[in-house]
Amino acid sequence: MRRRIWTGTAGLLLAALTGMAQEKTAYSIAGSGSTLEIHVGKDGAFKAFGHDHLIAGKEISGDVQFDAQKIEGSTVRLHIATKSLTVVDPGESEKDRQSVQATMVGEKVLDVAKFPEISFTSSEISGVKKNAPGWELTISGKLKLHGVEKSVTFPLRVQTENRTLRGTGEISILQTDYGITPVKVGGGTVKVKDKLKITFTIAAHKNQ
């Protein structure tokens, strides 16, 4: 009798665990439907003679394990190829854009040859609030940039449409936290700000 009870209990437990596993849906992050922009401001005594920079990320990949029944149980892994970061700088000449691009990917800033990837891995999702289009939440995790990994937390808006999961958010970071010295010109009279603002929309498609 005890053996039957144990077998029955084990079966129910296995079924429950299987059901929990099935609640998570796997999505793959698609670079074609995702956008990431880095906004770099200017600083210094003669900042009026410099200009802000806009940088776009082109190669974005990763995966999402999404639990619609318990959003807090979802996970995200995101990867961005540093070589794909491109200086947009609307209104500036092509020559100026190329100059900024060369500085950005070089050893003084991103050093893409040594650090080919920026990554984010979630560790916690909290403060979930349901709204009409989806959910608002707070996501925490590890951001690895320039070989340095730091904990970050930021708000995120999530919605689903057909087979696509979309997350939109904004985060600010300090370059110096990741071992990057903000670029200076003119003996420091014009320099870029230490703080960068990153805005993004990440699109992920449900796996077959």
Side-chain angles (χ1 to χ4, degrees), residues 81-92:
T82 51
K83 67 178 182 180
S84 76
L85 294 176
T86 304
V87 176
V88 179
D89 285 4
E92 299 301 322

Side-chain angles (χ1 to χ4, degrees), residues 19-57:
M20 288 174 64
Q22 290 176 343
E23 287 178 357
K24 287 188 179 181
T25 304
Y27 289 79
S28 294
I29 293 173
S32 58
S34 301
T35 60
L36 181 142
E37 293 183 337
I38 303 173
H39 305 263
V40 186
K42 58 185 181 297
D43 207 347
F46 294 101
K47 62 182 180 181
F49 297 97
H51 58 269
D52 296 341
H53 301 297
L54 178 62
I55 299 160

